[in-house]
Amino acid sequence: MAVVTFLSDYGLDDDFVGVCHGVIARIAPQVRIIDVTHGIARHDVRSGALVLRRALPYMPAGVHLAVVDPEVGAQRRAVALRCADEERVLVGPDNGLLSLAAERFGGVAEAVDVGRSALRLEPVSASFHGRDVFAPVAAHLAAGTIALAAAGDPIDPAELVTLVLPHARATADGLVAHALQADRYGNVVLDAGHEDLAGSGLMLGRAAIVNGRRALYATTFADVPAGGLLLYEDGYRVLSLAVNRGSALAELGLALDDELLIAPAP
Amino acid sequence: MAVVTFLSDYGLDDDFVGVCHGVIARIAPQVRIIDVTHGIARHDVRSGALVLRRALPYMPAGVHLAVVDPEVGAQRRAVALRCADEERVLVGPDNGLLSLAAERFGGVAEAVDVGRSALRLEPVSASFHGRDVFAPVAAHLAAGTIALAAAGDPIDPAELVTLVLPHARATADGLVAHALQADRYGNVVLDAGHEDLAGSGLMLGRAAIVNGRRALYATTFADVPAGGLLLYEDGYRVLSLAVNRGSALAELGLALDDELLIAPAP
Amino acid sequence: MAVVTFLSDYGLDDDFVGVCHGVIARIAPQVRIIDVTHGIARHDVRSGALVLRRALPYMPAGVHLAVVDPEVGAQRRAVALRCADEERVLVGPDNGLLSLAAERFGGVAEAVDVGRSALRLEPVSASFHGRDVFAPVAAHLAAGTIALAAAGDPIDPAELVTLVLPHARATADGLVAHALQADRYGNVVLDAGHEDLAGSGLMLGRAAIVNGRRALYATTFADVPAGGLLLYEDGYRVLSLAVNRGSALAELGLALDDELLIAPAP
């Protein structure tokens, strides 16, 4: 069964997600739709890109629709991309949202600009391209009634917008990592994994110093008392900071992209 | 594939929506369910009616279940309606919720009262008619196992409850419109479209005065700075007011149905 | 069509629910997934168990996945259970979450520990067993590609964790009931039904005294004015307390498990 997965910042309070489902179902009744999430913070392209990258490997290969689109109606391109690996197809705005997932699946093998695609719902509104541009393109591609090359105008994959992420680095004082993303509980995802701590002297089960605060480098929340700061590998194998029953974001006074120095406790 | 679409004010925090899905799946396993939204403000029949009217044209024709039902358990009727256009069937309380969508699809060709329908789940609770009355009726109708006439007692379509909406009107001072609906960002939907501004002298890209406040009559949010007031056609081709990164509802001190005077800036 | 139902406390803001859908769809593309709710309060095992018990009878019989799992990564067992009635299969943590539903369907006829199941996604994370353990086990069982006995190590059903709920009791002063659960409106579910009031002298439509406060023993919210306290049978045929357009939880100052004395008004 062909699949369209769908991620957005539309939320579920309004009918935007439902209407996109309807548009897809009208064009491609036999296609299954799987919602990744619609809870991306409004206009937060980077969080959308990070969530898309981590979630798609768990999704059936298919057409992956993603809409976090602060510049809708302005000049950004609308694109559909075929990845080198698994023939996965990504559909959405060309603002970096798709770039991390594309990289995860071997890079972009073929790209088309669908902003003028004949597959659009006419008349195209200025503000709801999820319904009028992206959902219909995704539906036709998933239904297999049209080839990617016929869905829009060819573009050079090298011209697509990409996101620049900070990079964790090992220093003499410890690992310098960055706050990449926070969830609603104030848990903070870093740009590092277990392996980046290899040379730091920090060991699982031992205390660490994170920006001057004592933390436990641990496996689960249950390893620290309520209020305790925890450095751990999250469900996606990425280092994260959390406060058991609290907010690491608030307690460490972090903003996104802030640097964090992580070292073993003396 | 037969389709039931589903709109309500149940929210997703509880199991109400899930249970209605279950009821439909038990009766009609082969029917697909598409959620329009369950985020209608609690008991806000008019918002539900407006969202249903604008969303259904994007949905496959089928059975359209809608439940915003402040008078459940009291005297209001439970109904199923066949529209003149596209054979669309609407199922829900007879409180006006279905009336705008019915009008959009050519009016009601046939109506039955399903409050005593043999299709109900017995015993019928006093407060959860979504599960006990509306979902089972919708499921049976979508499965095609019963004709509408057999699902309840015939009623005269002229007796159905309808909603009275305010009407925008052109005056010597400008267009008098009304605040019909607001979303969670404080964007305000008006009861007018581009065409209603035709004789007002206001032109796209030019400044307007809205209740004494300066606004730009524009295409997208990107056309005004943060904090700027914007008069624009929303994704459903209806005039709306917004403040870029703010709340038009709050900044203009609007309540629903309030009048707005819209005129070109001098 | 085989069905997996899914209840959790993951919420919909993140990709956790979507990723579990993806995992199931990859393993068992032909299986239908029905979301019961993902709005259980975080880590609230008892509310999850109560909602599961009341919702499952309305769901098609199948595999019922439930994840409210505060001790994930610690010592609690992961289990799959076959109920005596309707061959329903429950999958989730062994912390009592499944116990009320199991009891509702005739008790547990067969149980296996799936914590080391060969069906898991490797490598298993410390914190996301919904994705790595429970969803894959549920998917394989729903697809029918494996028998329950082959999905894990057999365990004695008598060793499963069960929840102890308070019990309403009739006294000389009236019915002593307990606050079992509250929803987001502050409506409070009690551990009693109409039948428990049989000997109390209280009659439908008459005034009652609840913890010293006057209430109406009524059928629907419409029976009391705004601000009025209401004792009623909820949509699941359980006695509940509500304040029309208010919060019974707040107005009565209740915490969960608090005792309530319910008697006829003099």
Side-chain angles (χ1 to χ4, degrees), chain A residues 111-138:
Chain A
V112 294
D113 182 333
V114 298
R116 303 281 163 198
S117 173
L119 305 174
R120 295 176 304 165
L121 291 196
E122 295 285 0
V124 175
S125 66
S127 59
F128 196 177
H129 289 193
R131 178 193 68 197
D132 299 335
V133 178
F134 299 121
V137 167

Short mmCIF file of all heavy atoms in Angstrom, two decimals, chain A residues 111-138:
data_model
loop_
_atom_site.label_atom_id
_atom_site.label_comp_id
_atom_site.label_asym_id
_atom_site.label_seq_id
_atom_site.Cartn_x
_atom_site.Cartn_y
_atom_site.Cartn_z
N ALA A 111 15.36 16.67 -8.21
CA ALA A 111 14.54 17.71 -7.57
C ALA A 111 13.73 18.46 -8.61
O ALA A 111 14.22 18.72 -9.72
CB ALA A 111 15.44 18.68 -6.81
N VAL A 112 12.49 18.77 -8.25
CA VAL A 112 11.67 19.61 -9.13
C VAL A 112 11.00 20.72 -8.31
O VAL A 112 10.70 20.54 -7.13
CB VAL A 112 10.57 18.80 -9.88
CG1 VAL A 112 11.19 17.82 -10.85
CG2 VAL A 112 9.64 18.08 -8.90
N ASP A 113 10.82 21.85 -8.95
CA ASP A 113 10.09 22.97 -8.38
C ASP A 113 8.61 22.77 -8.72
O ASP A 113 8.25 22.74 -9.90
CB ASP A 113 10.62 24.27 -9.00
CG ASP A 113 9.96 25.52 -8.43
OD1 ASP A 113 8.80 25.43 -7.98
OD2 ASP A 113 10.59 26.58 -8.46
N VAL A 114 7.78 22.62 -7.69
CA VAL A 114 6.36 22.34 -7.94
C VAL A 114 5.48 23.58 -7.73
O VAL A 114 4.25 23.48 -7.70
CB VAL A 114 5.85 21.18 -7.05
CG1 VAL A 114 6.60 19.89 -7.38
CG2 VAL A 114 5.97 21.52 -5.56
N GLY A 115 6.12 24.73 -7.61
CA GLY A 115 5.38 25.96 -7.35
C GLY A 115 4.40 26.32 -8.47
O GLY A 115 3.42 27.03 -8.24
N ARG A 116 4.68 25.83 -9.67
CA ARG A 116 3.77 26.08 -10.81
C ARG A 116 3.22 24.76 -11.35
O ARG A 116 2.74 24.69 -12.49
CB ARG A 116 4.51 26.81 -11.93
CG ARG A 116 5.15 28.13 -11.54
CD ARG A 116 4.11 29.24 -11.50
NE ARG A 116 4.60 30.40 -10.74
CZ ARG A 116 3.82 31.34 -10.25
NH1 ARG A 116 2.51 31.28 -10.44
NH2 ARG A 116 4.31 32.34 -9.58
N SER A 117 3.31 23.72 -10.54
CA SER A 117 2.90 22.40 -11.01
C SER A 117 1.45 22.38 -11.50
O SER A 117 0.57 23.03 -10.91
CB SER A 117 3.04 21.39 -9.87
OG SER A 117 2.51 20.15 -10.24
N ALA A 118 1.22 21.64 -12.55
CA ALA A 118 -0.14 21.48 -13.05
C ALA A 118 -1.00 20.67 -12.08
O ALA A 118 -2.22 20.59 -12.24
CB ALA A 118 -0.10 20.78 -14.41
N LEU A 119 -0.39 20.07 -11.09
CA LEU A 119 -1.12 19.25 -10.13
C LEU A 119 -1.77 20.08 -9.02
O LEU A 119 -2.56 19.56 -8.23
CB LEU A 119 -0.17 18.23 -9.49
CG LEU A 119 0.60 17.34 -10.46
CD1 LEU A 119 1.62 16.49 -9.70
CD2 LEU A 119 -0.35 16.46 -11.25
N ARG A 120 -1.44 21.36 -8.94
CA ARG A 120 -1.99 22.21 -7.88
C ARG A 120 -3.52 22.31 -7.94
O ARG A 120 -4.11 22.16 -9.00
CB ARG A 120 -1.41 23.63 -8.00
CG ARG A 120 0.09 23.71 -7.76
CD ARG A 120 0.58 25.13 -8.00
NE ARG A 120 0.24 25.59 -9.33
CZ ARG A 120 0.27 26.86 -9.72
NH1 ARG A 120 0.63 27.80 -8.87
NH2 ARG A 120 -0.06 27.19 -10.94
N LEU A 121 -4.11 22.61 -6.80
CA LEU A 121 -5.54 22.93 -6.78
C LEU A 121 -5.70 24.39 -7.17
O LEU A 121 -5.14 25.27 -6.52
CB LEU A 121 -6.12 22.75 -5.37
CG LEU A 121 -6.26 21.36 -4.78
CD1 LEU A 121 -7.20 21.44 -3.58
CD2 LEU A 121 -6.78 20.37 -5.78
N GLU A 122 -6.45 24.65 -8.19
CA GLU A 122 -6.67 26.04 -8.60
C GLU A 122 -8.01 26.54 -8.08
O GLU A 122 -8.96 25.75 -8.02
CB GLU A 122 -6.67 26.12 -10.14
CG GLU A 122 -5.34 25.79 -10.79
CD GLU A 122 -4.31 26.91 -10.64
OE1 GLU A 122 -4.64 27.95 -10.02
OE2 GLU A 122 -3.19 26.73 -11.11
N PRO A 123 -8.14 27.82 -7.69
CA PRO A 123 -7.06 28.80 -7.62
C PRO A 123 -6.20 28.59 -6.38
O PRO A 123 -6.74 28.26 -5.32
CB PRO A 123 -7.81 30.12 -7.55
CG PRO A 123 -9.12 29.78 -6.90
CD PRO A 123 -9.44 28.37 -7.29
N VAL A 124 -4.91 28.80 -6.50
CA VAL A 124 -3.99 28.61 -5.37
C VAL A 124 -4.10 29.82 -4.44
O VAL A 124 -3.97 30.96 -4.88
CB VAL A 124 -2.55 28.45 -5.89
CG1 VAL A 124 -1.58 28.39 -4.72
CG2 VAL A 124 -2.43 27.20 -6.75
N SER A 125 -4.35 29.55 -3.18
CA SER A 125 -4.43 30.64 -2.20
C SER A 125 -3.04 31.17 -1.89
O SER A 125 -2.03 30.52 -2.17
CB SER A 125 -5.10 30.14 -0.92
OG SER A 125 -4.26 29.18 -0.31
N ALA A 126 -2.98 32.33 -1.25
CA ALA A 126 -1.68 32.92 -0.89
C ALA A 126 -1.09 32.29 0.36
O ALA A 126 0.11 32.34 0.58
CB ALA A 126 -1.84 34.42 -0.67
N SER A 127 -1.93 31.66 1.18
CA SER A 127 -1.44 31.27 2.51
C SER A 127 -1.60 29.79 2.84
O SER A 127 -1.12 29.35 3.88
CB SER A 127 -2.17 32.09 3.58
OG SER A 127 -3.56 31.88 3.49
N PHE A 128 -2.24 29.00 2.00
CA PHE A 128 -2.50 27.62 2.37
C PHE A 128 -1.97 26.69 1.27
O PHE A 128 -2.71 25.95 0.65
CB PHE A 128 -4.00 27.43 2.61
CG PHE A 128 -4.37 26.17 3.37
CD1 PHE A 128 -5.70 25.92 3.69
CD2 PHE A 128 -3.43 25.22 3.76
CE1 PHE A 128 -6.08 24.77 4.38
CE2 PHE A 128 -3.79 24.08 4.45
CZ PHE A 128 -5.13 23.86 4.76
N HIS A 129 -0.65 26.74 1.08
CA HIS A 129 -0.03 25.89 0.07
C HIS A 129 0.01 24.43 0.49
O HIS A 129 0.15 23.55 -0.36
CB HIS A 129 1.37 26.41 -0.25
CG HIS A 129 1.35 27.70 -1.02
ND1 HIS A 129 2.46 28.22 -1.65
CD2 HIS A 129 0.34 28.57 -1.28
CE1 HIS A 129 2.14 29.36 -2.25
NE2 HIS A 129 0.87 29.59 -2.03
N GLY A 130 -0.13 24.16 1.79
CA GLY A 130 -0.27 22.77 2.21
C GLY A 130 -1.43 22.10 1.48
O GLY A 130 -1.30 21.00 0.93
N ARG A 131 -2.55 22.78 1.43
CA ARG A 131 -3.74 22.26 0.75
C ARG A 131 -3.65 22.36 -0.77
O ARG A 131 -4.02 21.42 -1.48
CB ARG A 131 -4.96 23.05 1.23
CG ARG A 131 -6.27 22.65 0.57
CD ARG A 131 -7.37 23.70 0.85
NE ARG A 131 -7.07 24.95 0.19
CZ ARG A 131 -7.64 26.12 0.49
NH1 ARG A 131 -8.52 26.19 1.46
NH2 ARG A 131 -7.30 27.21 -0.16
N ASP A 132 -3.16 23.50 -1.27
CA ASP A 132 -3.29 23.80 -2.69
C ASP A 132 -2.11 23.34 -3.53
O ASP A 132 -2.25 23.16 -4.74
CB ASP A 132 -3.47 25.32 -2.88
CG ASP A 132 -4.73 25.84 -2.20
OD1 ASP A 132 -5.67 25.04 -2.01
OD2 ASP A 132 -4.77 27.03 -1.85
N VAL A 133 -0.96 23.18 -2.92
CA VAL A 133 0.25 22.81 -3.67
C VAL A 133 0.82 21.48 -3.17
O VAL A 133 0.93 20.50 -3.93
CB VAL A 133 1.33 23.91 -3.58
CG1 VAL A 133 2.59 23.48 -4.34
CG2 VAL A 133 0.79 25.24 -4.09
N PHE A 134 1.18 21.43 -1.89
CA PHE A 134 1.97 20.29 -1.40
C PHE A 134 1.14 19.01 -1.31
O PHE A 134 1.59 17.94 -1.71
CB PHE A 134 2.60 20.63 -0.06
CG PHE A 134 3.52 21.81 -0.11
CD1 PHE A 134 3.31 22.95 0.66
CD2 PHE A 134 4.63 21.79 -0.95
CE1 PHE A 134 4.17 24.03 0.60
CE2 PHE A 134 5.51 22.87 -1.03
CZ PHE A 134 5.27 24.00 -0.24
N ALA A 135 -0.07 19.08 -0.73
CA ALA A 135 -0.88 17.86 -0.59
C ALA A 135 -1.25 17.26 -1.94
O ALA A 135 -1.11 16.05 -2.14
CB ALA A 135 -2.12 18.14 0.26
N PRO A 136 -1.71 18.06 -2.91
CA PRO A 136 -2.03 17.45 -4.21
C PRO A 136 -0.82 16.84 -4.90
O PRO A 136 -0.92 15.76 -5.48
CB PRO A 136 -2.61 18.60 -5.04
CG PRO A 136 -2.69 19.79 -4.16
CD PRO A 136 -2.13 19.47 -2.82
N VAL A 137 0.33 17.51 -4.82
CA VAL A 137 1.54 16.95 -5.44
C VAL A 137 1.91 15.63 -4.76
O VAL A 137 2.19 14.63 -5.42
CB VAL A 137 2.70 17.97 -5.36
CG1 VAL A 137 4.03 17.29 -5.69
CG2 VAL A 137 2.44 19.15 -6.30
N ALA A 138 1.88 15.63 -3.42
CA ALA A 138 2.21 14.40 -2.69
C ALA A 138 1.24 13.28 -3.05
O ALA A 138 1.64 12.12 -3.23
CB ALA A 138 2.17 14.67 -1.18
#
